[in-house]
Amino acid sequence: MTNSGVNSPTGSDLHLELSGSGSLRSQLMHAVREAVRSGRLPPDTRLPSYRALSADLGIARNTVAEVYSELVEEGWLTARQGSGTRVARRVAPPPPHRRRPRPSSRRPIHDLAPSSPDASAFPRAAWSTSARRAINAAPSEAFGVGDPRGRPELRDALADYLARARGVRVDAELIVICAGYAHALQLLGPLLPSTVAVESYGLAFHRDLIAGAGIRTVPLSIDERGARVGDLSEKSAGAVLLTPAHQYPTGGPLHALRRAAVVDWARTADGLILEDDYDGEFRYDREPIGAVQGLDPDRVIYLGSISKSLSPSLRLGWMVLPDRMIDDVLAVKGRRELWSSAWDQLTLADFISCGSYERHLRRMRGVYRGRRDHLAAALTEHAPHIRVSGIAAGLHAVLELPEGTEHTTLAAARRLGVAVDGLSAYRHPDSTMPHLDGLVVGYGTPAEHAFSSALEALCLALPPAP
């Protein structure tokens, strides 16, 4: 006899395998012991009641009671009035089998890889408060089939915030919620023209997502003023993907004249601008720069997420779309929400509306500014010959290296347990602009107590002064 999952009135579910010879009593004794011994039932796990287990297994209630009683006497279980029958705490299961890690899979000691926030700084208390408030206020239909546009509460909150803080011209009906920036690119892929211009330095992962839709990407050179959008007319592209708030990874905003120029190109060429508002919230030494979308909402798709400002694990992002594209995007996404949970959407809506989001951003600007300053000071002291750029905003800096030293510097960093990126990994394979040697150093990821030691190791990996 084999069975089964128990769904008891006490709320305890238990799967037991009754098999082999002997009485049902002995089979049940063996099954419970094995479940505890293997660690599948850890200490303090509450077991189903006699009635629930006997009903599910088809065993007399007295038999179950006798088994529980004997296992209590043997020390496998405990039974207290009002607490039910539980696995004894002194029964320690053997440790699970662990594969011996290969040397190549060893995690770095110091994580200075870019693009991630400090996970330890997540505002747990404020988020929990918003979650409780949002779930209590949610209408019943919020727990049914999800609307692919996203929860109206979140779209309303975003419309207000983006208009006020980022200069986006938006109505809530023009917002579609998605599971982050990468998901947005996947949804837009089937709707983009056959050729899309991208910045010569950017994430290969994003270029691959576009290419996965059968679209060719062509590189735009970049300089201290951002992407050279004046070259778009030579690229035969129908759309361009930009990071105008803070070019990723080289840093710096798109110059005002180029912002106007790319909008003029889109109007003249009937083109489309994809605006990745990367690091738009984190600025330190400059006035806030509004979104390009505010210059022409009919020509710009504005893309944002909370992966840097809050957490990448929440998988929440948004698209602000031209009105003519709403139906096409929803047709690609499908008839129901399959990606972002309604609970997270409702919580974020409350988190934004009650002001907790902006309070968190202000606090983290101070934290990240301090880390940025700490990085700059460490380099001034230990490697003054290394120029730092791209630090007026964002969560990373670029360390410009002497020509031909990037590969050896990365190898030295790995030996010291430092995770850091080289600029060459971001270069478009078809780019014609000169190669740049450098490191892309993230200062968002390490916990506060680990930051100083991470910088010390980084400085040791840098090439000496010529």
Side-chain angles (χ1 to χ4, degrees):
M1 175 181 179
T2 64
N3 219 15
S4 99
V6 174
N7 189 355
S8 77
T10 66
S12 299
D13 292 340
L14 177 60
H15 175 82
L16 291 174
E17 294 286 344
L18 303 188
S19 58
S21 59
S23 66
L24 290 177
R25 181 180 180 280
S26 63
Q27 291 181 43
L28 180 57
M29 288 278 291
H30 176 77
V32 175
R33 285 196 192 103
E34 283 302 306
V36 175
R37 185 183 293 115
S38 67
R40 188 165 64 82
L41 292 181
D44 211 35
T45 299
R46 185 172 182 175
L47 302 186
S49 67
Y50 306 152
R51 181 172 61 84
L53 190 58
S54 65
D56 189 80
L57 298 180
I59 298 176
R61 190 183 306 181
N62 288 343
T63 301
V64 176
E66 290 173 2
V67 168
Y68 276 15
S69 178
E70 185 167 340
L71 291 174
V72 167
E73 290 181 8
E74 292 179 1
W76 293 92
L77 306 178
T78 61
R80 292 187 179 91
Q81 185 68 30
S83 182
T85 304
R86 297 177 181 271
V87 176
R89 292 184 180 180
R90 63 178 176 274
V91 179
H97 174 69
R98 297 181 182 273
R99 292 181 59 191
R100 179 176 297 176
R102 298 177 180 177
S104 61
S105 65
R106 186 178 62 184
R107 297 185 65 181
I109 302 170
H110 310 290
D111 190 355
L112 293 175
S115 300
S116 295
D118 180 358
S120 67
F122 184 80
R124 302 185 189 204
W127 185 262
S128 296
T129 299
S130 284
R132 289 192 299 270
R133 190 161 50 219
I135 214 72
N136 288 331
S140 297
E141 54 87 14
F143 302 99
V145 175
D147 186 334
R149 294 173 298 176
R151 289 299 308 169
E153 298 90 343
L154 179 55
R155 291 187 286 118
D156 286 340
L158 283 170
D160 175 73
Y161 170 74
L162 294 174
R164 176 168 42 80
R166 302 296 303 127
V168 176
R169 292 161 60 187
V170 60
D171 182 272
E173 294 303 312
L174 300 178
I175 297 176
V176 172
I177 303 300
C178 53
Y181 178 77
H183 184 217
L185 285 183
Q186 289 177 312
L187 294 174
L188 292 170
L191 309 176
L192 296 177
S194 59
T195 302
V196 173
V198 297
E199 294 158 333
S200 277
Y201 280 79
L203 280 173
F205 172 55
H206 293 163
R207 295 195 296 265
D208 291 344
L209 287 174
I210 296 173
I215 297 167
R216 183 172 71 102
T217 63
V218 292
L220 280 177
S221 294
I222 55 177
D223 56 27
E224 68 280 358
R225 293 188 167 196
R228 298 177 60 175
V229 297
D231 297 339
L232 277 169
S233 58
E234 305 169 6
K235 300 293 182 179
S236 301
V240 59
L241 172 61
L242 298 172
T243 53
H246 187 228
Q247 202 286 321
Y248 189 80
T250 61
L254 187 64
H255 191 275
L257 292 178
R258 293 187 180 179
R259 292 157 66 88
V262 73
V263 171
D264 288 342
W265 165 82
R267 292 170 177 168
T268 302
D270 193 24
L272 188 64
I273 302 167
L274 279 65
E275 179 177 12
D276 176 4
D277 196 25
Y278 176 77
D279 281 345
E281 301 93 349
F282 296 117
R283 59 190 182 277
Y284 314 119
D285 302 326
R286 69 182 194 207
E287 293 298 314
I289 299 173
V292 172
Q293 189 267 4
L295 300 177
D296 194 337
D298 292 331
R299 295 290 175 184
V300 181
I301 298 175
Y302 177 89
L303 306 170
S305 79
I306 57 170
S307 63
K308 308 297 185 299
S309 57
L310 274 175
S311 169
S313 68
L314 289 172
R315 307 311 310 148
L316 283 174
W318 50 85
M319 296 180 277
V320 180
L321 297 160
D323 182 71
R324 68 182 185 279
M325 296 188 68
I326 293 289
D327 291 341
D328 291 337
V329 169
L330 292 177
V332 174
K333 193 176 183 187
R335 296 182 178 181
R336 59 178 64 189
E337 178 58 70
L338 299 176
W339 305 94
S340 302
S341 83
W343 192 347
D344 286 341
Q345 292 186 53
L346 290 166
T347 302
L348 180 58
D350 182 272
F351 195 74
I352 294 172
S353 299
C354 75
S356 291
Y357 184 59
E358 290 178 83
R359 284 191 292 273
H360 174 71
L361 289 178
R362 285 193 294 271
R363 182 173 71 86
M364 295 313 298
R365 281 190 202 116
V367 171
Y368 294 140
R369 180 198 292 269
R371 294 190 185 186
R372 190 252 349 229
D373 293 346
H374 193 172
L375 169 63
L379 291 169
T380 298
E381 180 179 357
H382 300 291
H385 57 290
I386 301 295
R387 183 174 180 268
V388 187
S389 61
I391 59 174
L395 301 181
H396 75 275
V398 173
L399 277 55
E400 300 176 18
L401 299 176
E403 184 177 353
T405 64
E406 181 180 308
H407 179 74
T408 55
T409 303
L410 286 172
R414 284 193 294 270
R415 287 194 298 272
L416 292 166
V418 180
V420 68
D421 286 354
L423 264 178
S424 59
Y426 295 85
R427 180 184 173 87
H428 193 291
D430 298 330
S431 176
T432 58
M433 66 178 290
H435 283 264
L436 304 175
D437 282 80
L439 299 182
V440 185
V441 179
Y443 46 81
T445 303
E448 201 67 32
H449 69 274
F451 192 54
S452 293
S453 58
L455 293 185
E456 182 179 351
L458 171 68
C459 289
L460 289 173
L462 296 174

